[in-house]
């Protein structure tokens, strides 16, 4: 399938004259064909109007129909075959194995949400039967379910061109909830986006969805994104990207006449705690594991271990030696975009010029103009406490090890950290008591707490939380990965004394979804 | 127990010199003793620091301990006896029967949250067991529960001096979630607040809670409230009051370095639809029911039926005649504060001077300086469509009937309404099809949809939603009444591969709370 550079406005391919834009090959920084259309104001208007018109139809469909739509998208994405992975490799610079895995994850999470729809527990249905003879007043019949918010805008992310872009986690959870989706495509991978958008529209057609259920809009600069976030028909926003971008969207959404929620996943340095027992038992292995996690995908994961905390001592020296050796052997890797590469280089330069920080190891020399070279820095706990701004995220394979004099200093450092997606404990049995002391702080700090692992693998499952207090996300009350992500696009509605004929299917007596009935959870 | 006018700073009674303030008797507008202390900046600081210190202790308690604390508060409130109701009558002007009922509701909702804690379903616990031999990579063990956000500020509401003030719904749900609470007392009922705060602190002492779990702070003007909402230790805000007050708090919270959620319940006119079949069958009874609901409690309910929509015709004339008759017989009633009375009077005057509105009936003459006199207005659907600003809430026993020429006009009016707490359908069997057409719009408009009832009764139960799209609340994704209200103060945390010894009790294998385990809901 040749790329056309078209937009998808209400599932229809649309081409626009005038200056377009081209993708840039991540490895070389050179442009690749074709040129992509930039959406007009009318395109945004058409997409929003169609999403609004589609909402009552799409949200009113039986859950089974939406489940089939999600599964059809997964099938169509897989049917794109090698072309999708090849274009994504070219545009993102990510290796084939990673993108093949990411395609699997993308299809897998669409199918997981289909399963979630069939289960129906996400509706959190509740029934309180009437008590007509209650004194002093009769008790009415009350029934509750969750309904979708309305059309949703999703911003594609550069670091997951499949799993967090056009048909990624935000789109899957919003579509599952019953919300039409308008994707603002990321300019770093427009070809990948076009291929996936084609898959979605084919799936929508095959399963009889209303045209407005999906649009893909490209834009230059922020105009199109701003128009979408401020459009009165848009009821929620999903975003993964920089802190600056995320907080700008939050402001836009809050200043609307009717404010809407923005689910922005922004910056996190994912502190890793090496507790004394673990360090005594396996400092060398930990050093290797750390660098493997840090340099994976050129360090371009939201859950990259950007900060390590440990107590001074010979075991920590062993860890540093092991990590330094591993870092010295780590090949440089193509970064996602020339802009991200440049920001990484300047972040590393900022750290290198900070008197409190010490560079202890660098990865192998850059092999191309946009290749990122890993970097490992250390500093003392006292210096960190004096200026915690060093903890600002450097997006890429750079990390900072904070050597603490004692446990009190380590605990002080924890209180200075901003909200995080993850916090990791490496511990041995002898560390249990210290871990127990740290846990309450870590629960306040992060959305996911790991033991004896590395934060970079994010399992897509029921019990996952990929979220956390500000600024790791704009709203720590939610997750963007895993089935609980559907919650973000729902709100509760109660029905009082509604005749059975008018009740939603899941609130009728004969429904089989899990519900709480008269105070008792039932399956 | 004589009132002392003291604050409760971290459960300790504190008195402040300098100018204080007195309550004003609602019926007469005259001051009543004693004088109440105004909190200093240090008091706010002490309360916030104590709440922060109490948080890890209080949130870490077994659910059973928090349940017993909530039940002890209910017991202590009931033990206050007549004094509480009498003081609340004096301060609020609400009648004895209403306040006795409200006291029952207040105690009842504290006990309902105790039950919710024991059930433990609110944790939404999930377990995904590890699959160590999964290819290509092992699947880790992941477990999820919800944890409390941190200390919460609750603003007491004037219209429910018990059920939505010091120990009201917001306080009960926040304490249940595991959050210490700092109440900003409402200046309209400081004596009632002091009595209830005394009950809470006695309950805290008897059940061994940390002192910082509760504070009651009074202030003049907005200073104290602003200090609390912008304090970095406060993690969420509950508020019931005016749209101006609520949106001001939203802005304050959003402009913090770390934004926090504000759950503000603001304005709602609660549209009531009289469908043709219902009107044909029982126009007269509907007219009486309408005025009874409208004038209850001087119309000072968030769920007051402020707007009625129906189709022109002789049945509607019958309804209007019946409603007018009932209104003419409705006695005036003391309003909550002189300020609310004044605002009501000017709202009614605004409607009376609008050329499109027609006054069809007034309640009985005011019997005192702060008594509100009911008022019933009508206008045509066409006029409403031309200027929907007439739908702005007039807080009190005034309501507007919109006479629509046809169904299309009625449906057009619906699209012009702002977000609402409730929407009510009066319907007969013959109206089913029309109701089915309207339902999708009503689900988008409101948090609760009623059939053949009046919105003023708000049952405190599992399936209740007292919430709705902006501006009825600041965040339509939640409810402030019913057990689901606990959600507002929680966020999800995942635990990956944590040793059993470090897992929270509810995520260990042997826990009996309802959970989703490996994709299957279990009880």
């Amino acid at each position: 399938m040749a790329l056309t550079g078209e937009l998808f406005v209400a599932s229809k391919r649309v081409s626009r004259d005038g200056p377009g834009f081209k993708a840039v090959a991540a490895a070389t920084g050179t442009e690749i064909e074709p040129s992509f259309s930039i959406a007009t104001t009318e395109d945004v208007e058409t997409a929003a109007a169609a999403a609004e018109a589609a909402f009552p139809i799409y949200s009113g469909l039986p859950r089974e129909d939406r489940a089939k739509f999600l599964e059809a998208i997964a099938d169509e994405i897989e049917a794109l075959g090698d072309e999708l992975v090849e274009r994504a490799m070219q545009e993102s610079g990510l290796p084939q194995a990673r993108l093949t895995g990411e395609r699997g994850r993308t299809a897998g999470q669409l199918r997981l949400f289909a399963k979630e729809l069939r289960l129906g527990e996400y509706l959190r249905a509740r029934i309180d039967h009437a008590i007509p003879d209650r004194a002093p007043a009769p008790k009415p019949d009350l029934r509750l379910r969750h309904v979708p918010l309305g059309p949703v805008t999703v911003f594609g992310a550069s670091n997951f061109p499949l799993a967090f872009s056009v048909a990624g986690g935000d789109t899957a959870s919003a579509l599952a909830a019953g919300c039409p989706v308008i994707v603002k495509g990321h300019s770093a991978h427009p070809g990948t986006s076009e291929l996936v958008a084609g898959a979605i529209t084919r799936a929508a057609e095959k399963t009889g969805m209303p045209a407005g259920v999906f649009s893909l809009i490209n834009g230059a600069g922020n105009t199109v994104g701003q128009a979408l976030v401020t459009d009165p028909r848009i009821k929620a926003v999903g975003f993964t990207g920089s802190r600056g971008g995320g907080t700008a969207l939050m402001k836009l959404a809050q200043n609307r006449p009717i404010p809407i929620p923005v689910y922005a996943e922004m910056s996190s340095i994912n502190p890793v705690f090496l507790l004394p027992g673990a360090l005594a038992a396996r400092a060398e292995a930990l050093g290797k594991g750390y660098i493997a996690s840090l340099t994976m995908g050129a360090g371009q994961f939201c859950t990259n271990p950007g900060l390590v905390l440990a107590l001074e001592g010979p075991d920590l020296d062993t860890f540093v030696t092991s990590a330094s050796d591993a870092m010295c052997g780590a090949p440089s890797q193509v970064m996602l975009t020339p802009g991200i590469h440049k920001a990484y280089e300047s972040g590393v330069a900022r750290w290198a010029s900070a008197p409190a920080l010490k560079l202890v190891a660098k990865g192998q020399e850059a092999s191309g103009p946009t290749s990122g070279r890993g970097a490992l820095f250390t500093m003392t706990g006292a210096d960190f406490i004096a200026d915690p701004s060093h903890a600002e995220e450097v997006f890429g394979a750079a990390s900072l090890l904070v050597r603490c004099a004692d446990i009190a200093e380590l605990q002080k450092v924890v209180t200075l950290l901003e909200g995080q997606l993850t916090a990791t404990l490496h511990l041995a049995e002898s560390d249990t008591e210290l871990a127990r002391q740290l846990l309450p702080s870590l629960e306040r700090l992060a959305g996911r707490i790991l033991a004896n692992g590395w934060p970079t693998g994010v399992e897509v499952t029921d019990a996952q939380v990929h979220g956390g207090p500000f600024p790791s996300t704009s709203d720590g009350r939610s997750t963007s990965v895993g089935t609980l992500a559907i919650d973000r696009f729902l709100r509760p509605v109660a029905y009082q004394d509604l005749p059975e004929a008018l009740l939603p299917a899941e609130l009728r007596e004969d429904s089989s979804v899990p519900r709480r009935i008269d105070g008792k959870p039932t399956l």
Side-chain angles (χ1 to χ4, degrees), chain A:
Chain A
M1 237 169 310
L3 293 173
T4 61
E6 289 160 318
L7 312 165
F8 291 74
V9 179
S11 300
K12 217 176 107 188
R13 284 178 176 269
V14 169
S15 175
R16 290 286 164 229
D17 298 337
F21 72 103
K22 288 182 184 171
V24 169
T28 59
T30 53
E31 290 193 332
I32 7 177
E33 295 300 324
S35 176
F36 288 84
S37 285
I38 287 173
T40 61
T41 314
E42 290 72 38
D43 293 327
V44 173
E45 169 60 31
T46 307
E52 173 69 19
F55 178 67
I57 302 162
Y58 182 65
S59 63
L61 289 175
R63 286 172 290 124
E64 178 62 26
D65 292 11
R66 291 208 300 275
K68 290 213 171 92
F69 173 40
L70 295 178
E71 288 169 339
I73 300 174
D75 293 344
E76 292 290 338
I77 289 173
E78 287 173 343
L80 290 169
D82 291 343
E83 189 185 0
L84 177 66
V85 171
E86 282 158 15
R87 178 76 192 191
M89 285 170 67
Q90 236 190 328
E91 291 183 330
S92 71
L94 293 168
Q96 184 175 26
R98 150 72 195 268
L99 286 167
T100 307
E102 197 180 318
R103 180 179 60 187
R105 173 177 163 178
T106 306
Q109 66 198 9
L110 286 158
R111 293 191 177 113
L112 187 66
F113 278 109
K115 210 172 131 194
E116 189 68 22
L117 280 172
R118 291 195 177 102
L119 178 58
E121 198 194 23
Y122 78 96
L123 294 162
R124 303 177 74 191
R126 295 170 164 206
I127 297 179
D128 291 311
H129 287 102
I131 308 178
D133 57 355
R134 189 185 63 175
K139 181 175 182 176
D141 180 282
L142 270 163
R143 300 176 186 228
L144 180 156
R145 67 161 177 172
H146 282 73
V147 301
L149 294 179
V152 168
T153 288
V154 170
F155 286 78
S158 67
N159 64 339
F160 280 89
L162 298 172
F164 263 82
S165 188
V166 178
D170 288 346
T171 299
S173 49
L175 287 178
C179 302
V181 169
I182 302 177
V183 175
K184 160 66 177 68
H186 199 288
S187 56
H189 54 263
T192 307
S193 297
E194 183 187 324
L195 290 168
V196 174
I200 296 177
T201 51
R202 279 191 295 280
E205 206 184 324
K206 283 183 184 171
T207 55
M209 296 295 135
V213 75
F214 174 76
S215 291
L216 168 67
I217 298 283
N218 289 317
N222 299 327
T223 323
V224 162
Q226 282 173 4
L228 284 169
V229 174
T230 53
D231 189 286
R233 290 158 293 201
I234 297 298
K235 299 300 182 198
V237 175
F239 169 88
T240 299
S242 71
R243 185 167 176 171
T247 50
L249 293 182
M250 288 169 73
K251 289 281 168 221
L252 276 179
Q254 288 158 356
N255 291 328
R256 290 165 47 123
I258 297 177
I260 56 171
V262 170
Y263 300 102
E265 202 246 275
M266 302 181 287
S267 69
S268 183
I269 52 168
N270 306 293
V272 174
F273 299 82
L274 309 173
L275 301 193
L279 216 41
R282 49 181 190 275
E284 202 181 319
L286 285 173
K288 283 181 189 155
Y290 168 39
I291 301 303
S293 173
L294 173 65
T295 57
M296 194 192 292
Q300 299 164 123
F301 287 102
C302 322
T303 53
N304 209 38
L307 189 76
V308 174
L309 297 145
L311 301 185
E312 270 298 3
D315 294 329
L316 183 54
D317 294 338
T318 309
F319 172 85
V320 173
T321 306
S322 166
S324 298
D325 288 352
M327 178 56 94
C328 293
S332 73
Q333 289 169 83
V334 174
M335 295 194 75
L336 289 161
T337 68
I340 286 175
H341 176 257
K342 202 175 146 195
Y344 173 69
E345 293 279 305
S346 76
V348 171
R350 193 180 73 231
W351 276 2
S353 69
L357 272 68
K358 193 179 139 198
L359 176 69
V360 293
K362 284 205 113 176
Q364 290 182 12
E365 287 261 7
S367 55
T370 57
S371 284
R373 186 181 180 182
L376 179 57
F377 292 83
T378 65
M379 73 188 301
T380 66
D383 282 339
F384 187 94
I385 290 164
D387 182 4
S389 75
H390 293 302
E392 211 178 289
E393 185 182 20
V394 175
F395 188 73
S399 188
L400 178 57
L401 168 69
V402 179
R403 310 177 70 120
C404 298
D406 52 31
I407 289 171
E409 194 173 276
L410 184 142
Q411 284 173 323
K412 175 73 187 165
V413 170
V414 175
T415 65
L416 299 171
L417 296 177
E418 295 188 294
Q420 304 289 336
L421 293 171
T422 70
T424 301
L425 291 167
H426 282 280
L427 74 167
E429 186 120 12
S430 59
D431 297 315
T432 304
E433 204 34 54
L434 176 56
R436 192 171 281 133
Q437 281 172 40
L438 286 170
L439 265 174
S441 316
L442 303 188
E443 280 173 348
R444 294 192 80 178
L445 188 67
R448 178 165 56 116
I449 298 168
L450 300 82
N452 296 326
W454 299 97
T456 29
V458 182
E459 200 66 38
V460 183
T461 184
D462 285 333
Q464 183 60 275
V465 176
H466 190 67
F470 186 90
S472 69
T473 75
S474 55
D475 186 343
R477 292 167 297 168
S478 63
T479 174
S480 61
V481 176
T483 50
L484 199 62
I486 196 171
D487 266 29
R488 299 175 298 163
F489 305 111
L490 298 170
R491 44 175 277 265
V493 171
Y495 304 82
Q496 182 173 322
D497 288 333
L498 225 63
E500 178 94 0
L502 290 172
L503 279 173
E506 293 88 354
L507 294 182
R508 293 186 195 150
E509 290 297 320
D510 63 0
S511 167
S512 61
V513 299
R515 302 188 284 197
R516 188 192 284 202
I517 301 178
D518 297 326
K520 288 207 184 71
T522 59
L523 300 181

